[in-house]
C-alpha cells in the first residue's frame, strides 16, 4: 500500500485535526505504517521535535496517533501570529522572519509550494500512507491562487479529498454543497466525498439528507461520527475552551482528598501552548479555568501565567486589567503563582526586548529575581532534569534569555516563596513531578487536596487517541475509506456549477 488522503473541512474547527488523528490511529491498528502531514499550520500551540524543530502541536499529536516520532517534514510551514496583521514564519522547524498577511499571501506562500510538495513526497517514500490535514476551508476563493495547504497540495500530489463538516453548528448540507460548488472543475475531480462530524441523535433521520446530497453531487458520505465529550486533544484553531469556562478536559472523577484544587489561568493576549494546563485538568479534583479579571483570582489556589507570543503586550494587559496588582498581592501573601515561558519572563524584574515588541527596556512585575534579554535566535530544545525530587521532561520555545540572580533553582528558572517560574513547556505532563508540585501548591494554599496516585497523563492521551480510532472504525465506511487512500478519488465525478470564479 502506498497512498494518501487530504482531510479538508467546510470551516475552521470542523474537526479536521481530530478526524486526521482518528484515521491515523485506525490505520496503524491495521498494521499500516502511516504519518500525518499539514503543509501549513497557523497556531500558537507548537512543539519541539527531537531534532530541535518547531512544529504545530496538532501534528505532534497526530504523530503520536501514528506511533511515530514527529519531524519537521510533517509540518513544513508554521505561522505564529504576533498580532492582527503579522506572523512569524517557521520553515522546516526554524523561524525565518516576520511577514504581514499581505506579504505572505502576496507571493511568499506560493513560492513554498515546491518545498511542501518535496516534504510530502519524502514522507510518502517512507510510509505506506500519509494522511494530510487541510486548513480552514478549501473554498476560500480569495486565497486559492496561492494555496499550498488545501487544493493546492491536493492538486500537486494528486490526493483524494474528504470534506469534514460539523453538523453541531447547523447547515452542514449547505456547507458541503457550497464548498464543492465553489471549486474549479480540476479541484472538484479530487473531492471524493464527505464526512459528517459531531452528530447527535438518530442517524436514520439524517439518511434522507445524505441520499439527496449524493444525488446532487454524485459523491458519497464516508461516515457520520457521533458527538463525543472529553475528546480534548491538541488543536490549533481557537482555544478549545471558553475563556470564561472550564478546560474541556476536566475530569469528573471526585478528588482523592477532602478538598478540590482551583487553578486560574490568566488568558493573556497571544496565549501560546496553553496545553500546558491540560495535565492539571486531567487530575481528579483539580478544576482549571481561564480568567481575565482580578476578582477571579481571589478563590484560586494556584494562578498560572501561561506562555505568550507577546510578552510585553501581555505585561501591559495584566496591568491594564488590575491582574498585575492581584498577582503581586498573591505573592506577598505566599499564595501560589506559576509562570511558564512568557509568563515566567514577565514575572521577572525587567525585560530588554529589541526583537519581539522592539520596546527596549520594560519593567517586569518584579516577583522573581530574573532579568530577560530577547535574542534573535530562538531557543528550541527538549530538556530533561529534576525538580522537587522527581524526574522532569519538557520542551523550550522562546526568544527570551533569562538571567536568574537569586531564589531557589526550579528547572531552568527559579522559585521565591510560592512563586515559581520556568521556560519549560510540558513539564506538568511528568506524572511524579506534577503530583509533587500539586502537593506543594495544596500545602501553600491550605487545602486538604491529595493528588491521585495513579493518574498517567500519557495513558490518558493514548486512551483519547484510541477513542478517535474507534470513532473511525465504528462509524465510518472503512472499506470505502481504505480504497480512497489506496487508489485515489473515484473517476468520473460530476462537476457541480458554478465552480470557482475566473
Amino acid at each position: 500500500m502506498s497512498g494518501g488522503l487530504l482531510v479538508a473541512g467546510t470551516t475552521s474547527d470542523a474537526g479536521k485535526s481530530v478526524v486526521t488523528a482518528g484515521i491515523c490511529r485506525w490505520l496503524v491498528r491495521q498494521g499500516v505504517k502511516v504519518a500525518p502531514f499539514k503543509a501549513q499550520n497557523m497556531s500558537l500551540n507548537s512543539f519541539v521535535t527531537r531534532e530541535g524543530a518547531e512544529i504545530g502541536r496538532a501534528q505532534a499529536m497526530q504523530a503520536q496517533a501514528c506511533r511515530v516520532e514527529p519531524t519537521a517534514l510533517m509540518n513544513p510551514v508554521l505561522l505564529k501570529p504576533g498580532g492582527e496583521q503579522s506572523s512569524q514564519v517557521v520553515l522546516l522547524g526554524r523561524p525565518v522572519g516576520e511577514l504581514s498577511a499581505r506579504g505572505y499571501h502576496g507571493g511568499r506562500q506560493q513560492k513554498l509550494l515546491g518545498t511542501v510538495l518535496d516534504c510530502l513526497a519524502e514522507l510518502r517514500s517512507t510510509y505506506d500512507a500519509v494522511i494530510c490535514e487541510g486548513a480552514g476551508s478549501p473554498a476560500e476563493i480569495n486565497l486559492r491562487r496561492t494555496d499550498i495547504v488545501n487544493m493546492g497540495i491536493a492538486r500537486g500530489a494528486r490526493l483524494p479529498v474528504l470534506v469534514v463538516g460539523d453538523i453541531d453548528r447547523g447547515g452542514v448540507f449547505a456547507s458541503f454543497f457550497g464548498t464543492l460548488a465553489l471549486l474549479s472543475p480540476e479541484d472538484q475531480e479530487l473531492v471524493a466525498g464527505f464526512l459528517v462530524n459531531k452528530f447527535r441523535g438518530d442517524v436514520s433521520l439524517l439518511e434522507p439528507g445524505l441520499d439527496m446530497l449524493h444525488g446532487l453531487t454524485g459523491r458519497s458520505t464516508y461516515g457520520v461520527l457521533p458527538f463525543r465529550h472529553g475528546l480534548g486533544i491538541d488543536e490549533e484553531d481557537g482555544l478549545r475552551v471558553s475563556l470564561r469556562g472550564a478546560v474541556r478536559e476536566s475530569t469528573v472523577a471526585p478528588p482523592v482528598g477532602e478538598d478540590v484544587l482551583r487553578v486560574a489561568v490568566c488568558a493573556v493576549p497571544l496565549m501560546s501552548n496553553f496545553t500546558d494546563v491540560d495535565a492539571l485538568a486531567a487530575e481528579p479534583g483539580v478544576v482549571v479555568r481561564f480568567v481575565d479579571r482580578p476578582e477571579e483570582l481571589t478563590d484560586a489556589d494556584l494562578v498560572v501565567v501561561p506562555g505568550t507570543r507577546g510578552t510585553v503586550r501581555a505585561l501591559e494587559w495584566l496591568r491594564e486589567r488590575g491582574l498585575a496588582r492581584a498577582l503581586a498581592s498573591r505573592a506577598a501573601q505566599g499564595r501560589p503563582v506559576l509562570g511558564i515561558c512568557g509568563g515566567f519572563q514577565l514575572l521577572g524584574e525587567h525585560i530588554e526586548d529589541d526583537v519581539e515588541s522592539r520596546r527596549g527596556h520594560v519593567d517586569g512585575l518584579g516577583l522573581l529575581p530574573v532579568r530577560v534579554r530577547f535574542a534573535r535566535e530562538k531557543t528550541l530544545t527538549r530538556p530533561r532534569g529534576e525538580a522537587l525530587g522527581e524526574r522532569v521532561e519538557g520542551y523550550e520555545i522562546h526568544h527570551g534569555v533569562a538571567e536568574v540572580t537569586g531564589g531557589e533553582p526550579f528547572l531552568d528558572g527559579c522559585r521565591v516563596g510560592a512563586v515559581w517560574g520556568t521556560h519549560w513547556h510540558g513539564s506538568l505532563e511528568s506524572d511524579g513531578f506534577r503530583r509533587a508540585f500539586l502537593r506543594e501548591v495544596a500545602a501553600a494554599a491550605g487545602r486538604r487536596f491529595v493528588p491521585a496516585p495513579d493518574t498517567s497523563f500519557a495513558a490518558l492521551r493514548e486512551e483519547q487517541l484510541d477513542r478517535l480510532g474507534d470513532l473511525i472504525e465504528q462509524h465510518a465506511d472503512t472499506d470505502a475509506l481504505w480504497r480512497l487512500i489506496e487508489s485515489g478519488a473515484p473517476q468520473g465525478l460530476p462537476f457541480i456549477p458554478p465552480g470557482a470564479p475566473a
Side-chain angles (χ1 to χ4, degrees):
M1 178 180 185
S2 178
L5 173 69
L6 175 70
V7 179
T10 56
T11 62
S12 295
D13 202 31
K16 297 182 291 292
S17 295
V18 295
V19 168
T20 299
I23 293 174
C24 287
R25 179 50 60 100
W26 162 65
L27 283 172
V28 81
R29 293 194 308 206
Q30 309 306 308
V32 178
K33 186 180 179 185
V34 60
F37 179 79
K38 184 161 185 171
Q40 174 192 291
N41 199 340
M42 177 172 279
S43 178
L44 287 171
N45 284 338
S46 57
F47 184 75
V48 179
T49 67
R50 293 212 178 275
E51 71 266 30
E54 185 180 8
I55 66 171
R57 271 196 71 102
Q59 278 60 66
M61 171 273 297
Q62 291 161 356
Q64 187 176 347
C66 297
R67 298 183 178 139
V68 298
E69 273 292 321
T71 72
L73 291 174
M74 297 173 183
N75 179 207
V77 181
L78 172 64
L79 305 179
K80 302 193 73 175
E84 297 294 329
Q85 299 294 329
S86 67
S87 293
Q88 183 181 65
V89 181
V90 179
L91 180 61
L92 292 173
R94 295 289 173 181
V96 294
E98 297 271 342
L99 277 179
S100 67
R102 180 181 294 274
Y104 183 68
H105 291 288
R108 180 63 185 269
Q109 182 185 36
Q110 195 172 26
K111 293 177 182 177
L112 295 173
L113 181 59
T115 299
V116 300
L117 285 171
D118 288 345
C119 291
L120 177 57
E122 187 170 343
L123 286 175
R124 296 184 79 177
S125 70
T126 306
Y127 292 88
D128 299 328
V130 178
I131 307 303
C132 307
E133 179 188 345
S137 161
E140 291 168 348
I141 53 179
N142 56 315
L143 302 177
R144 176 61 186 91
R145 183 178 59 84
T146 59
D147 170 55
I148 65 170
V149 65
N150 290 306
M151 300 313 299
I153 196 78
R155 287 267 293 277
R158 301 307 299 172
L159 292 171
V161 179
L162 187 66
V163 180
V164 178
D166 178 358
I167 197 170
D168 198 47
R169 297 183 176 197
V172 74
F173 292 116
S175 297
F176 282 145
F177 185 88
T179 297
L180 182 65
L182 281 177
L183 299 178
S184 69
E186 295 80 8
D187 286 350
Q188 288 193 25
E189 286 177 3
L190 296 173
V191 178
F194 312 106
L195 185 75
V196 177
N197 192 29
K198 300 182 186 177
F199 180 72
R200 306 171 191 251
D202 186 346
V203 176
S204 66
L205 298 177
L206 191 65
E207 287 172 352
L210 300 179
D211 291 341
M212 284 185 273
L213 183 66
H214 183 271
L216 288 167
T217 67
R219 288 155 175 87
S220 300
T221 298
Y222 283 71
V224 178
L225 306 186
F227 187 94
R228 289 286 186 267
H229 290 284
L231 290 179
I233 57 172
D234 304 336
E235 301 173 21
E236 67 269 3
D237 296 324
L239 279 178
R240 297 176 300 117
V241 295
S242 163
L243 289 187
R244 310 209 55 77
V247 173
R248 199 162 67 200
E249 290 82 358
S250 293
T251 180
V252 295
V256 175
E258 297 179 46
D259 286 344
V260 299
L261 210 61
R262 295 172 177 83
V263 179
V265 184
C266 295
V268 296
L270 298 174
M271 182 163 48
S272 61
N273 286 66
F274 54 83
T275 47
D276 283 330
V277 300
D278 286 353
L280 294 177
E283 284 283 349
V286 176
V287 180
V288 179
R289 299 181 68 84
F290 286 82
V291 302
D292 58 6
R293 296 196 300 241
E295 57 268 27
E296 293 175 301
L297 306 189
T298 305
D299 66 347
D301 302 306
L302 168 67
V303 174
V304 177
V305 187
T308 171
R309 254 278 282 157
T311 302
V312 171
R313 179 177 170 186
L315 187 57
E316 293 173 341
W317 182 87
L318 290 170
R319 286 179 168 135
E320 289 167 1
R321 289 178 170 261
L323 286 160
R325 289 191 301 273
L327 289 170
S329 176
R330 286 185 67 89
Q333 297 169 33
R335 302 180 66 198
V337 175
L338 171 64
I340 303 174
C341 199
F344 164 46
Q345 295 168 6
L346 58 81
L347 293 179
E349 295 168 350
H350 70 254
I351 298 167
E352 291 289 341
D353 181 10
D354 295 319
V355 176
E356 192 175 77
S357 69
R358 300 177 184 174
R359 294 282 295 277
H361 182 96
V362 178
D363 289 333
L365 297 185
L367 305 185
L368 290 174
V370 176
R371 299 166 185 167
V372 176
R373 174 185 56 82
F374 272 69
R376 297 198 177 278
E377 188 71 20
K378 183 183 283 191
T379 297
L380 296 168
T381 63
R382 290 274 292 270
R384 297 183 179 187
E386 185 174 306
L388 305 180
E390 299 286 347
R391 296 288 298 168
V392 190
E393 295 185 17
Y395 57 99
E396 295 186 49
I397 306 170
H398 54 90
H399 284 279
V401 178
E403 178 190 358
V404 179
T405 60
E408 301 174 41
F410 177 69
L411 302 177
D412 70 329
C414 65
R415 170 187 181 179
V416 174
V419 180
W420 293 266
T422 177
H423 274 131
W424 290 23
H425 293 293
S427 62
L428 294 167
E429 295 179 19
S430 298
D431 297 325
F433 167 72
R434 182 179 65 254
R435 287 191 278 269
F437 176 72
L438 289 175
R439 283 192 290 268
E440 293 256 351
V441 168
R447 293 286 185 188
R448 290 171 292 184
F449 169 85
V450 179
D454 55 355
T455 301
S456 167
F457 187 75
L460 289 172
R461 176 55 54 87
E462 278 296 302
E463 289 175 13
Q464 289 177 322
L465 292 171
D466 276 332
R467 290 177 67 193
L468 292 179
D470 292 343
L471 279 178
I472 297 299
E473 190 168 329
Q474 296 167 11
H475 300 282
D477 186 342
T478 52
D479 289 340
L481 199 56
W482 189 282
R483 289 193 299 271
L484 189 62
I485 294 169
E486 191 172 35
S487 304
Q491 297 295 308
L493 293 170
F495 168 69
I496 305 301

